[in-house]
Amino acid sequence: MRDFISRYRIAFAVLGSAVVTLLAVLAVMNFSSGEPHIERRLERLYDVEEPRFRQELGLLLGPPFVNGNRVQVLRNGDEIFPAMLAAIRSAQQTITFESYIYWSGDIGREFGEALAERARSGVRTHVLLDWIGSSKMDEAIIQTMKDAGVQVHKFHPPHWYHLQRMNNRTHRKLLVVDGKLAFTGGVGIAPEWTGNAQDPEHWRDTHFQVEGPVVAQMQAVFLDNWIKVTGEVLHGAPYFAELDDVGNSAAQMFSSSPTGGAESMQLMYLLSITSAARTIDLSASYFVPDELMLDALIDAMKRGVRVRIVVPGEHIDAETVRLASRAQWGPLLEAGAVIAEYKPTMYHCKVMIVDNQLVSVGSTNFDNRSFRLNDEATLNILDADFAREQTAIFEADLALSRPISHQEWLNRPLRERLAERLASLIDSQL
């Protein structure tokens, strides 16, 4: 009996050691993408306003800019959700929908019922949800959709033979209806995004409704992950409709993923910042720049570019991110950047405006997770009138934010400095 117990203890110890080793290996794999990164500053060769900028952004990131688009801004849930639900309910042939966050609550049920109703009416309806981001979702909503004929799939559910893949999430937020009308931005399907940012329980966010030739590029981005998950190619006129010019905006939709084009997002930001001549306004829900991005912003200010950044304040869903972000502010504030914390509620916007010409919107955060770990999608718009509209919205948010001075940053308490130091140890995962 003693021999049996001894052998059991040895076996258990070996198993425990194996589990610890496996977890350690997974942790190491998560902290390294295994791909080379952009390591050097980009040389400044042109301004955002020059045709060369538009050309090279298309060549380096994938799809070219296409003319003839109309982009409408939607602020907060009271504008965002009615527009998205109206588009879904108007669908005649196809709906493709990809989201990171989809939680329980009334708005989740309303989306599920709208998608299910269209599927029952014969509309081909495809829903792709991130496994982690939809972990709080009521299973009954999924069942309602599946029973109606909606194809619902999860991105990277865990399997023992590729657990490290869980750290690669689809953070993309895309809705395309009949291949003609599309939406992208920062919103998730959850109660926090409802309302009009009127209190800390209702978040501030921006989404965008898009029409015109660039919608085909947005559909292609959805298809990228749909093929990864299902192996099914969605094509033909119901998904890729004939698209006429409907507006004056040039636009480009591109994506990034650790499995292909992992550096595209950071390259886009670096090119845009390096090409800025006058202004950079950044709405950043998660702002944790690495050294390369910090240097690019500081270099821009040295040549006279005004840099303004709005970030979340005390109302934030990830305090670790706020601590890691604040640890980086010193050199930016010293160089003259305006960094302001949004006061009323959680600030979830993801918008960059450069020289009142370029507007970048989508799912991408200004951090390593978006630049290297997540699957992301960003819509670039070149349109001076649209950029001026976005600048006015940015300045309205800035007016509700508290600027942080360099002296205040230097005087923060020791306990905050220590907490920031600890948070910065994992900034590659934030």
Side-chain angles (χ1 to χ4, degrees):
M1 182 67 179
R2 288 180 180 176
D3 288 343
F4 172 79
I5 294 174
S6 177
R7 288 196 296 270
Y8 177 81
R9 286 176 175 171
I10 292 172
F12 186 78
V14 170
L15 178 60
S17 177
V19 170
V20 170
T21 301
L22 176 61
L23 292 175
V25 169
L26 290 175
V28 170
M29 294 176 72
N30 279 344
F31 275 80
S32 174
S33 70
E35 294 187 2
H37 302 313
I38 301 171
E39 297 179 349
R40 298 182 181 181
R41 300 184 191 186
L42 298 185
E43 182 182 359
R44 177 174 162 77
L45 300 176
Y46 33 73
D47 291 347
V48 167
E49 294 178 334
E50 296 180 33
R52 190 75 184 179
F53 173 79
R54 168 176 170 166
Q55 179 185 7
E56 297 215 3
L57 213 59
L59 292 171
L60 289 168
L61 303 181
F65 279 85
V66 289
N67 296 321
N69 304 285
R70 178 167 58 225
V71 184
Q72 177 183 347
V73 63
L74 304 168
R75 281 182 283 181
N76 304 324
D78 281 353
E79 292 183 2
I80 296 166
F81 290 139
M84 293 177 70
L85 286 166
I88 289 170
R89 290 167 179 150
S90 72
Q92 299 299 308
Q93 298 189 76
T94 61
I95 299 170
T96 53
F97 179 44
E98 182 172 1
S99 184
Y100 174 62
I101 292 293
Y102 197 133
W103 294 340
S104 298
D106 291 343
I107 192 63
R109 283 191 292 274
E110 190 171 1
F111 266 81
E113 289 166 1
L115 291 163
E117 187 279 326
R118 286 291 80 200
R120 283 192 293 269
S121 297
V123 174
R124 285 170 273 188
T125 307
H126 314 273
V127 174
L128 181 59
L129 306 173
D130 185 77
W131 183 82
I132 291 177
S134 64
S135 60
K136 298 180 184 180
M137 187 179 184
D138 186 347
E139 196 64 31
I141 299 175
I142 295 178
Q143 198 58 52
T144 294
M145 289 193 286
K146 287 184 174 180
D147 289 346
V150 178
Q151 288 187 297
V152 183
H153 292 277
K154 295 289 187 78
F155 186 83
H156 285 177
H159 294 291
W160 67 268
Y161 51 87
H162 49 53
L163 285 175
Q164 81 281 1
R165 219 174 57 172
M166 287 175 59
N167 204 32
N168 168 216
R169 310 163 190 172
T170 179
H171 196 243
R172 299 172 185 173
K173 299 162 179 75
L174 296 165
L175 171 64
V176 183
V177 173
D178 291 336
K180 297 178 180 179
L181 180 63
F183 297 81
T184 193
V187 76
I189 311 303
E192 285 81 348
W193 276 277
T194 59
N196 193 31
Q198 68 269 28
D199 55 47
E201 284 69 50
H202 299 86
W203 293 0
R204 167 75 183 94
D205 211 340
T206 303
H207 223 59
F208 298 85
Q209 178 177 306
V210 186
E211 300 168 272
V214 79
V215 171
Q217 295 181 4
M218 299 175 75
Q219 186 77 287
V221 170
F222 171 86
L223 186 58
D224 172 52
N225 272 346
W226 187 259
I227 292 173
K228 289 180 188 175
V229 172
T230 70
E232 179 187 16
V233 179
L234 308 176
H235 63 107
Y239 298 96
F240 292 95
E242 292 290 333
L243 297 171
D244 297 325
D245 291 357
V246 294
N248 299 316
S249 297
Q252 166 207 45
M253 185 73 175
F254 75 99
S255 63
S256 68
S257 169
T259 58
E263 296 297 291
S264 294
M265 279 304 164
Q266 188 173 33
L267 177 58
M268 185 278 292
Y269 274 87
L270 284 171
L271 277 170
S272 301
I273 292 168
T274 302
S275 302
R278 298 185 303 278
T279 60
I280 298 170
D281 290 330
L282 183 64
S283 299
S285 51
Y286 307 99
F287 178 72
V288 190
D290 62 14
E291 186 175 351
L292 193 62
M293 300 302 290
L294 279 173
D295 288 344
L297 287 167
I298 291 168
D299 286 347
M301 285 184 280
K302 286 179 179 177
R303 63 176 183 268
V305 176
R306 184 192 67 193
V307 174
R308 302 184 295 183
I309 305 166
V310 175
V311 297
E314 62 176 314
H315 303 296
I316 189 169
D317 64 333
E319 183 62 27
T320 302
V321 174
R322 186 184 184 211
L323 290 168
S325 176
R326 289 171 68 93
Q328 308 290 332
W329 292 0
L332 291 170
L333 292 169
E334 187 176 19
V338 173
I339 303 179
E341 294 185 326
Y342 192 73
K343 294 186 294 185
T345 185
M346 168 63 185
Y347 192 71
H348 201 259
C349 300
K350 312 167 196 302
V351 182
M352 180 174 69
I353 312 160
V354 180
D355 287 350
N356 280 319
Q357 292 291 327
L358 171 72
V359 180
S360 288
V361 302
S363 64
T364 306
N365 294 311
F366 205 95
D367 58 20
N368 279 306
R369 172 157 290 280
S370 278
F371 291 155
R372 297 194 175 106
L373 299 176
N374 285 344
D375 283 26
E376 303 283 3
T378 285
L379 178 68
N380 287 329
I381 305 118
L382 285 169
D383 183 331
D385 291 338
F386 183 74
R388 280 191 288 271
E389 177 191 30
Q390 299 313 302
T391 299
I393 293 171
F394 174 88
E395 289 178 343
D397 289 339
L398 184 61
L400 296 174
S401 305
R402 188 176 75 88
I404 308 298
S405 70
H406 187 228
Q407 191 60 50
E408 179 182 347
W409 183 85
L410 289 173
N411 292 340
R412 66 201 190 283
L414 178 60
R415 66 179 182 277
E416 289 187 17
R417 295 169 182 258
L418 292 174
E420 291 169 6
R421 181 71 61 87
L422 288 173
S424 296
L425 295 175
I426 58 169
D427 61 6
S428 67
Q429 301 294 295
L430 299 177

